[in-house]
Amino acid sequence: MLNLSKVLISLLPIAIAIVVFLQPLENLSQIAFASKEGYKTYLYDLAGRKTAQFDGRVYRSSPDGQKWITQLDDSFQLVDRSGKKLSEFDARELGFSPDGQRLFIRSTKNKLQVYDMQKQRLIQLDETSVELPEFSKNSQRGLNFTENGVSLLDQTGRRVAQIPGRFIKLTSGFASDGARFVLYRLNPESCDLFDASGQMISRLIKQCGGISADGKKFFSVTGSSDDPVLQMHNTFGKKVAQFSGLFPIFSPDRRLIVTSNLIGEKSSYLYTATGQQLAQLKGTSARFSSNSQRILTVSDNTVYLYDRLGKEITRSPGSWAAFLPNSSKFTTFLYGESVYRSPAQLSGEGRLFDQTGRPLALLKGNYGFEPLMDSATQGLNFPSSFTGDYNQNFSFISADGQRLGTSDSRVSYLYDSSGQQIAELQGIAVKFSPTGKHLITTSEDKVYLYDRSGTKLAEIQGDNGSFSLDGQRVVVTVRNR
């Protein structure tokens, strides 16, 4: 019998890499680690003029980019865009509600509380919370995992239903609209499908493998650890298809599914949405182009490009690959020992290709990979690799796919989508704004602000910089020396 929890634990480094690469984790929702050193944060407009300052380092941002939670040495504070402190909390974690009007707090006693912006407590749940709740993509429903079960919440934090039991979070999650969700239950083991009211729709005496983005299909896992079998079910629990591999990912047009086998041969399998196998693909970490016509996989420092029927088009050197947004062009990077390094530490080469796999350009410098965060409210939503609904943006590629930024140990390079170099920039670690109209780089003690043509707009003193979630401010952190 397959013990999925053991399989997932053994694959944790791979699973983390999948989540990092499939899920955008950038800007000011990124969690900052606690530090006993003091920090100050400064806000600048897009002309480089300082507009506000406050103590601490940014921990999370409100969805509209108008308020921030900052982390002090032993507490958190809420500040507005003018730098005014609105409130301060002693807590383990803080996050914004999906609408940005409330604060979710995990207290020092691990109790989940909800406050308004004036620090008036609105809700306290009488249960021990493992961490802050995580919400569906449309933010209408949240799940709060506790020691004794799961609470289903609305977007204000009020409990809709309480589901007792022990659950594995990694393969639990929502459909995109929040109308259905699955929970992987332990003791007794089952995969349970619920509606938005918390009413159970179906139960399978099997292990969970995820839920489709539209909520009309959910997955279970059977077989052995060496040969797992993924099954797809309708909302009544009836099996409608069976797959090799795990971790189903849907194409943007919802007509194709790719699964991955991360053990042994490390291959992927391409299916129609009804479960007809089209091809076995070399490599894993599959990605679809935005028009669903192309597929990328990676294995053993080789990138494979396939058409939507699974026919191999070309292969090229690379340890990582991604399509440009709104395009079938793709970029690859062949890195050295580890991807979790700064651009100054990375050794390798970047390349740009068209949809046929024809090389367009060899790029100077390297991509600076950073963990990126999708949710402004809590930091991490359910891994999209298990719901089949993911975004493919990275901080070094503009949201429209028209600009790319690379760095070496000294400078950065700005390219257009044809691979033509536009400018050489001061600083390293290119980060585009959410609008794609501006970008920043950093040096040891400065942050440089540029427009998308490579014109320098400002040079700001600071240790680290990011854009606000609305793309209208540059947020710079300075360590007190």
Side-chain angles (χ1 to χ4, degrees), residues 3-76:
N3 188 324
L4 184 58
S5 60
K6 289 184 178 179
V7 172
L8 290 172
I9 290 172
S10 68
L11 295 176
L12 189 57
I14 300 174
I16 291 172
I18 291 174
V19 174
V20 167
F21 284 136
L22 295 186
Q23 186 95 312
L25 302 173
E26 177 49 36
N27 299 319
L28 294 182
S29 53
Q30 182 166 342
I31 295 175
F33 292 100
S35 173
K36 294 303 180 184
E37 301 180 64
Y39 289 86
K40 282 192 178 295
T41 298
Y42 299 87
L43 302 184
Y44 294 83
D45 64 20
L46 296 179
R49 295 183 292 260
K50 184 168 71 175
T51 61
Q53 70 180 65
F54 42 81
D55 291 332
R57 182 164 54 171
V58 168
Y59 183 75
R60 287 185 175 123
S61 167
S62 63
D64 61 3
Q66 301 300 306
K67 296 183 180 69
W68 287 267
I69 296 169
T70 67
Q71 188 172 26
L72 306 176
D73 285 346
D74 53 7
S75 64
F76 297 93

Side-chain angles (χ1 to χ4, degrees), residues 21 53 60 67 73 81 108-109 112 118 163 165 177 199 246 255 321-322 325 391 443 478 480:
F21 284 136
Q53 70 180 65
R60 287 185 175 123
K67 296 183 180 69
D73 285 346
R81 58 184 292 182
T108 54
K109 296 182 178 180
L112 183 65
Q118 288 71 48
I163 306 166
D177 61 4
Q199 184 71 32
L246 298 173
R255 295 180 179 180
N391 205 322
S443 64
V478 178
N480 295 333

Side-chain angles (χ1 to χ4, degrees), residues 398-420:
S398 64
D400 61 3
Q402 297 302 306
R403 295 289 188 272
L404 301 88
T406 63
S407 302
D408 59 25
S409 60
R410 303 178 303 103
V411 297
S412 294
Y413 306 94
L414 182 63
Y415 292 92
D416 65 19
S417 59
S418 69
Q420 183 71 31

Side-chain angles (χ1 to χ4, degrees), residues 143 145 169-175 180-183 211 382 387:
L143 293 178
F145 284 77
K169 182 178 176 182
L170 191 57
T171 51
S172 300
F174 284 102
R180 295 184 178 91
F181 62 96
V182 292
L183 292 176
I211 185 171
F382 282 99
T387 63

